[in-house]
Amino acid sequence: MAQTALPRPVVMIGMMGAGKTHIGRLLGQRLGIPFTDSDAVIEAAIGCRIADYFASHGEPAFREREYEAFESLLAGPAIVIGAGGGAVTNPKTLELLKAKAIPVWLQAATSELVRRCAGSDARPLLNNGDPTTILDGLLQKRGSLYQEAAAFMVRSDEGRDTDVVDRIIDGLKKWPQ
Ligand code: S3P
């Protein structure tokens, strides 16, 4: 699929550990377009780590910074963007994603999410409690929001990474259906 065929930025959405950054980067390489991570854009704007910003300003303030990051990212060229797992919980960001992006929901089993998130303290929502319980609880709240936002869903825990990218490209070719 050539760069010119992509009418909007593609945004990888889904839970922490679903592979949004890893698969998003591979997808960008395959499409020949840049990849950007919204968390990295936010960290550059706020000048500190997201975990520290959560601790000092709280989650609602972070969701505003996240919305601002998407406002600027989605006004730009059709690149691939990895979203933070909770981006869809801000109704303004959800609407923006639906209107200006092709959101692709990457889904994986909770056991896989836990395995991939292990050993990092960079995710403040996972720092206080049992990761399986926390992730299951978040998915309970967010599943319908991912569903609402997504142009289509792809499993990131089935097959090789290249297969996951192939399935995303198939979905993009069919979009909008
Ligand atoms: C969050 C996910 C994180 C980051 C922040 C909040 C969430 O991004 O935005 O810690 O609410 O699920 P990743 O999904 O890239 O880990």
Side-chain angles (χ1 to χ4, degrees), residues 2 16 39 49-50 69 71-72 96 117 121-122 126 133 154 160 176:
M16 293 175 263
D39 283 344
R49 293 173 76 226
I50 285 169
E71 261 193 318
S72 108
L96 194 62
C117 291
D121 64 354
L126 294 184
T133 309
V154 167
R160 295 165 302 173

Side-chain angles (χ1 to χ4, degrees), residues 120 130 144:
S120 163
D130 169 54
S144 60

Side-chain angles (χ1 to χ4, degrees), residues 14-17 20-21 37 39 50 54 59 62-63 66 83-87 122-125 138 142 146:
M15 295 289 286
M16 293 175 263
K20 302 181 296 286
T21 301
D37 197 300
D39 283 344
I50 285 169
F54 256 70
E59 184 172 347
F62 171 74
R63 296 297 169 207
E66 191 170 48
R123 295 179 170 104
L125 294 178
L138 288 174
R142 295 176 177 177
Y146 292 137

